[in-house]
Structures are given as structure tokens and as C-alpha cells.
């Protein structure tokens, strides 16, 4: 019998709901490449987690929740790229 792996829990930075790490979308700030959606979930840098919910992304991007979580100012260009990346993941 296969042992069930322990799945770490993470909290969405907007709605504060705790979920399995795999069910959340990670966003990361890299010193060289800036802020982007980390689909591998393994990229180095300061990361934050969000639900795959449009509401959460909307607030994260428009109410500066993301800036706060990543301790940076997310540029408009970065926001556009983020929206593009999540458009396939978020219904
Ligand atoms: Zn959320």
C-alpha cells in the first residue's frame, strides 16, 4: 500500500483560507526576473499563494495585497503578465 504523502497547507493572501499547497497558485518575486506566476511552485524567491478564484486575484492586483505580501511594488507590466498567466487557470 502506498503511503499518503503529507500535503503542506498554505494560506491565500487575500481571503486567508487555508488549503492544500497544490490547490493554490503560487506567485513569486525573483530579484532578477520580477514578479510572476510560478507554475512549478518551486522557484526561489519570496512567494505568496492565492486561490484559483477570480475574486482573490482581483483584490490581490487591485488593492495592492500582492505588493504587500511580496514586499515590492508590482508594475503594471508585471500585472498584465500575471493576468495572462492565470487566465487559463482561473475560471
Ligand atoms: Zn483566496
Amino acid at each position: 500500500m502506498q503511503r499518503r504523502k503529507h500535503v503542506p497547507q498554505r494560506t491565500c493572501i487575500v481571503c486567508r483560507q487555508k488549503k492544500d499547497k497544490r490547490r493554490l497558485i503560487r506567485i513569486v518575486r525573483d530579484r532578477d526576473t520580477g514578479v510572476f506566476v510560478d507554475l512549478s511552485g518551486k522557484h526561489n524567491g519570496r512567494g505568496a499563494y492565492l486561490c484559483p478564484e477570480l475574486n482573490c486575484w482581483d483584490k490581490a492586483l487591485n488593492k495592492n495585497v500582492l505588493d504587500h505580501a511580496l514586499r515590492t511594488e508590482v508594475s503594471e507590466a508585471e500585472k498584465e503578465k500575471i493576468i495572462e498567466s492565470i487566465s487559463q487557470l482561473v475560471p
Side-chain angles (χ1 to χ4, degrees), residues 9-59:
Q9 302 273 299
R10 292 290 183 272
T11 308
C12 170
I13 57 167
V14 176
C15 66
R16 298 274 154 203
Q17 275 188 68
K18 267 198 181 164
K19 293 184 181 182
D20 284 4
K21 195 177 158 184
R22 285 182 304 199
R23 294 185 51 212
L24 294 167
I25 300 168
R26 184 171 188 251
I27 192 147
V28 71
R29 170 164 69 94
D30 183 284
R31 233 184 300 163
D32 301 320
T33 46
V35 178
F36 61 96
V37 178
D38 174 25
L39 296 172
S40 73
K42 289 173 187 158
H43 201 94
N44 279 333
R46 172 170 274 276
Y49 289 86
L50 277 113
C51 308
E53 304 275 346
L54 199 57
N55 262 343
C56 290
W57 285 94
D58 205 41
K59 280 186 193 148

